[in-house]
Amino acid sequence: SKLVFEKRYLKKSGEVIWVHINSALLRDEHNNPKYFITQMEDITPRIEGDLALKSSENKFKALVEQSLTGFYIFEKDNFIYVNSRFCEIFGYSENEIMTSMKPTDVISVEDRERAKENVKKRLQGEVQSVHYVAKGNYKTGKPLWVEIHGTHLEIEGKDVIAGTVLDITDRKIAEEEIRKLNEVLEEKVKDRTNELEIKSSEIQRMNKLFVGRELRMKELKENMKDLENSLKDKTNN
């Protein structure tokens, strides 16, 4: 029989070490136990490395699971990891996203081809990272805008895309309301400008009429004066 296991030991100095043990029982020709052959290997560096990696993974998960930012990692057409905020942003459960959805499925149909092109460019090495805004595919169909950051990485020998997603729907709605308000204001300014131009033209017309009447009155007064002078001259003669 053979035993393979890992166990902690204490060195003479009191230091704890991890040892990989491979032990086999040898028997004689009558199948009676004869002695053990045991091989021992100090695997402390590997164990400590694994523990450090596990600790880093736990810290990473603790950080991203409490984040207000959506985190994702995917390989080609399959999600490898999404945090709870990512699921919340799109309205799908983690199981739905991880088992039945492609990475581009969380993007609306109208922006999906652009998203596919961005994924292709990163996986083929054309670009290292991308940053863009797109319409999201929320489960219930309500409006959703997302800002996406994605980077091409290699994890355990696999090409993956990792990044973040921000829900910017409120910002986009506000921008659209401001745009519509500006259009209304521009239209009102245009109408007011047209109104002022019409009034200005009317004032100019009235001014012309007034000036013309004043000129005619002046001319009439001058004619009356000439006539009076003429009558006076005739009377004197």
Side-chain angles (χ1 to χ4, degrees):
S1 59
K2 183 177 182 181
L3 291 176
V4 177
F5 59 96
E6 295 174 356
K7 187 176 180 180
R8 286 182 297 174
Y9 284 88
L10 281 176
K11 295 177 65 174
K12 182 178 180 180
S13 63
E15 178 186 355
V16 176
I17 62 171
W18 281 88
V19 177
H20 177 82
I21 300 173
N22 191 336
S23 182
L25 174 62
L26 292 184
R27 298 177 182 273
D28 60 19
E29 64 273 14
H30 302 295
N31 201 33
N32 294 316
K34 190 174 181 182
Y35 51 82
F36 284 97
I37 295 180
T38 301
Q39 181 181 17
M40 303 179 72
E41 178 186 1
D42 183 357
I43 58 171
T44 304
R46 176 174 68 80
I47 294 296
E48 290 179 345
D50 290 344
L51 291 174
L53 179 60
K54 186 66 176 179
S55 176
S56 297
E57 289 177 352
N58 290 337
K59 290 178 181 178
F60 169 77
K61 288 183 178 180
L63 174 65
V64 299
E65 287 303 325
Q66 298 175 25
S67 175
L68 296 177
T69 301
F71 284 86
Y72 66 87
I73 302 174
F74 65 81
E75 176 191 11
K76 295 183 180 179
D77 290 333
N78 300 306
F79 280 103
I80 297 175
Y81 170 80
V82 291
N83 70 343
S84 57
R85 177 55 181 159
F86 184 94
C87 301
E88 182 183 344
I89 288 174
F90 295 100
Y92 293 91
S93 69
E94 181 179 349
N95 183 63
E96 287 175 314
I97 291 175
M98 297 295 291
T99 61
S100 60
M101 297 182 68
K102 296 179 181 180
T104 51
D105 287 344
V106 296
I107 304 300
S108 69
V109 174
E110 56 193 287
D111 284 340
R112 197 165 293 171
E113 286 303 318
R114 182 160 60 97
K116 289 180 180 179
E117 186 64 23
N118 284 330
V119 171
K120 179 181 177 182
K121 286 180 179 179
R122 281 173 288 176
L123 289 176
Q124 292 184 348
E126 295 181 31
V127 295
Q128 182 64 27
S129 61
V130 296
H131 172 208
Y132 63 102
V133 171
K135 284 187 176 180
N137 176 26
Y138 193 80
K139 185 176 181 179
T140 62
K142 77 174 184 179
L144 174 65
W145 284 89
V146 291
E147 183 176 349
I148 301 170
H149 294 256
T151 302
H152 177 208
L153 300 173
E154 184 176 320
I155 299 178
E156 296 180 352
K158 297 179 180 179
D159 287 328
V160 302
I161 302 296
T164 61
V165 174
L166 293 175
D167 182 354
I168 60 169
T169 305
D170 291 343
R171 189 186 83 191
K172 294 295 290 186
I173 291 175
E175 289 176 352
E176 180 64 16
E177 290 177 350
I178 291 173
R179 185 188 65 79
K180 290 180 179 179
L181 179 60
N182 285 335
E183 288 182 354
V184 172
L185 291 175
E186 288 175 359
E187 189 64 28
K188 287 184 177 181
V189 169
K190 182 179 179 181
D191 292 342
R192 183 60 176 165
T193 300
N194 291 336
E195 181 182 348
L196 291 174
E197 288 178 351
I198 292 172
K199 288 184 177 181
S200 176
S201 297
E202 182 66 17
I203 291 173
Q204 290 179 11
R205 187 181 68 83
M206 293 299 295
N207 283 339
K208 288 181 180 179
L209 289 175
F210 179 78
V211 170
R213 186 180 66 177
E214 289 295 311
L215 290 174
R216 287 195 296 272
M217 288 296 294
K218 181 179 180 182
E219 183 181 357
L220 180 60
K221 288 179 180 180
E222 289 177 351
N223 289 339
M224 290 291 295
K225 186 176 181 180
D226 291 340
L227 180 60
E228 288 176 358
N229 291 333
S230 177
L231 291 175
K232 285 180 181 181
D233 290 339
K234 287 181 180 181
T235 301
N236 294 330
N237 292 330

